[in-house]
Amino acid sequence: MTTPDTSVIRILLADDHALVRRGVRLILDREPDLEVVAEAGDGAEAVEMARAQEVDLVVMDIAMPRMTGLQATREVLALRPGVRVLMLTMHDNEQYFFQALKAGASGYVLKSVADRDLVAACRAAMRDEPFLYPGAVTALIRNYLDRVRNGEEPSDQVLTPREEEVLKLVAEGHSSKEIAEMLFISIKTVHRHRENLLHKLGLRDRLELTRYAIRAGLIQA
């Protein structure tokens, strides 16, 4: 009995135009590590396919009948959190782009350059790396700068300044007693901050907190 090749990325392709699906399938199936295992003609069918088929990645159009690609993305990710979703669309549109990110998509690829970008985007998604076309990167930067100019707190600023202080000191290896003395707070308060950090960041222990602090630029590796 042969075992399935786990290195092959199993793809569900969802687009309401059969001709588009055929062209995209040709691009993907010629790669040894990519295989289209199912096709859907609209968002609702994509959700059903994701429920019935073992897939790793969904390549999803945005504008589809019955259920849009954005709605289907939310449904698929709720159903199968481990699946990755790429939006493949003709719309070079900032609103669609930001909605796709909010829905949980791992990337946004334009159909006009699918032959150039799609394969790389599929592989990036499976490495948990976002894939954005150049115009989308510009939109993200512009959106961020606009928020800063308007004095808005960046939405990803999840930690309070005090929590950042505690995180930095924990990552530097200080004990709770030392942190309490350095910040002029009680040991009980240090413990509460540490629990809040673990909960907010979805981490388990000091080692993971230290890794996060390095990534966030709070300490050097």
Side-chain angles (χ1 to χ4, degrees):
M1 180 178 173
T2 58
T3 56
D5 184 354
T6 56
S7 65
V8 175
I9 299 168
R10 299 163 298 182
I11 298 171
L12 164 60
L13 180 56
D15 195 292
D16 58 318
H17 294 98
L19 194 60
V20 172
R21 293 201 306 273
R22 190 179 311 152
V24 172
R25 186 167 196 147
L26 285 172
I27 293 171
L28 297 175
D29 279 351
R30 68 189 179 200
E31 301 296 323
D33 58 330
L34 305 176
E35 181 185 4
V36 176
V37 297
E39 294 186 21
D42 58 50
E45 190 179 355
V47 174
E48 289 306 311
M49 289 282 189
R51 179 181 284 114
Q53 292 270 133
E54 287 296 325
V55 299
D56 306 301
L57 174 67
V58 182
V59 176
M60 185 97 71
D61 187 18
I62 286 182
M64 292 189 290
R66 289 210 295 166
M67 182 185 287
T68 70
L70 296 170
Q71 293 170 318
T73 294
R74 289 189 284 268
E75 293 282 338
V76 167
L77 294 178
L79 191 67
R80 292 187 178 272
V83 168
R84 303 290 179 265
V85 178
L86 275 180
M87 308 311 299
L88 178 64
T89 176
M90 62 183 289
H91 299 289
D92 184 356
N93 178 295
E94 286 186 20
Q95 184 178 357
Y96 279 138
F97 164 63
F98 284 115
Q99 287 179 359
L101 293 185
K102 189 175 180 180
S106 298
Y108 195 97
V109 181
L110 296 180
K111 289 181 179 178
S112 58
V113 289
D115 57 334
R116 185 192 71 199
D117 288 350
L118 184 56
V119 169
C122 289
R123 292 170 180 154
M126 297 311 298
R127 295 193 302 267
D128 282 331
E129 297 173 5
F131 187 96
L132 309 175
Y133 69 100
V137 176
T138 302
L140 269 180
I141 295 171
R142 183 165 57 243
N143 179 269
Y144 175 80
L145 292 176
D146 286 345
R147 295 205 320 270
V148 170
R149 290 190 194 101
N150 293 332
E152 296 178 26
E153 188 82 1
S155 60
D156 58 353
Q157 189 76 32
V158 295
L159 303 183
T160 66
R162 176 63 92 190
E163 286 169 343
E164 278 200 357
E165 287 180 317
V166 172
L167 172 59
K168 179 174 171 59
L169 294 172
V170 168
E172 287 175 347
H174 296 286
S175 68
S176 295
K177 183 174 182 294
E178 290 170 336
I179 294 170
E181 291 171 353
M182 294 166 78
L183 298 180
F184 303 102
I185 57 179
S186 70
I187 294 177
K188 186 177 179 180
T189 300
V190 173
H191 289 161
R192 190 176 72 247
H193 282 310
R194 181 172 166 170
E195 289 304 311
N196 287 343
L197 284 166
L198 292 170
H199 177 71
K200 276 188 175 184
L201 300 174
L203 304 178
R204 292 173 297 182
D205 52 33
R206 177 191 287 267
L207 178 59
E208 291 190 352
L209 283 174
T210 302
R211 288 172 178 160
Y212 179 90
I214 292 170
R215 290 196 304 272
L218 293 175
I219 65 171
Q220 292 186 340

